[in-house]
Amino acid sequence: MSLIRVDRYEMTEWLKRPERAEADLNTALAGFSSSADGGVASDKIALIVRIALESAQLASNAVSGICEISHRAIDDQHLTDDEIKESLDNFTNKVFSK
């Protein structure tokens, strides 16, 4: 049988780096305009800028989601047996049995 040990403080510290990167990316994205004036090529430049900004926002959202899941997984590693049983019992209530 394997034993997995999670140090909550160490994992929380480890997650701070991607969380800072995600916050910095969102700050940078807030400063960009999705429109551009490039004369004849302005429609293509605007499209490229918009696609780049949307892609960067998707990357930021992915990092944010992964960090949130990681925090929840770390917290769940420290649940007691009663807390785990209670959370599993939530799936047996009347809302889920319909």
Side-chain angles (χ1 to χ4, degrees):
M1 180 171 178
S2 299
L3 175 63
I4 298 174
R5 184 165 181 240
V6 176
D7 183 323
R8 182 181 292 182
Y9 174 77
E10 189 175 313
M11 291 302 295
T12 301
E13 287 298 310
W14 184 84
L15 286 170
K16 285 183 181 180
R17 182 176 175 198
E19 288 172 336
R20 274 194 306 270
E22 188 259 339
D24 291 345
L25 177 58
N26 280 332
T27 300
L29 287 172
F32 280 99
S33 172
S34 63
S35 62
D37 183 12
V40 177
S42 64
D43 61 331
K44 289 180 177 52
I45 292 171
L47 175 66
I48 292 167
V49 169
R50 192 184 84 233
I51 290 170
L53 290 173
E54 287 175 3
S55 298
Q57 187 62 59
L58 285 171
S60 174
N61 292 347
V63 170
S64 178
I66 290 169
C67 287
E68 180 64 26
I69 290 168
S70 298
H71 279 294
R72 289 182 185 221
I74 291 166
D75 291 343
D76 286 351
Q77 287 290 320
H78 296 278
L79 292 177
T80 64
D81 288 345
D82 288 337
E83 290 170 324
I84 293 169
K85 183 181 181 304
E86 181 181 331
S87 70
L88 292 174
D89 284 345
N90 288 335
F91 292 106
T92 61
N93 72 22
K94 293 177 185 176
V95 174
F96 290 105
S97 62
K98 289 182 181 180

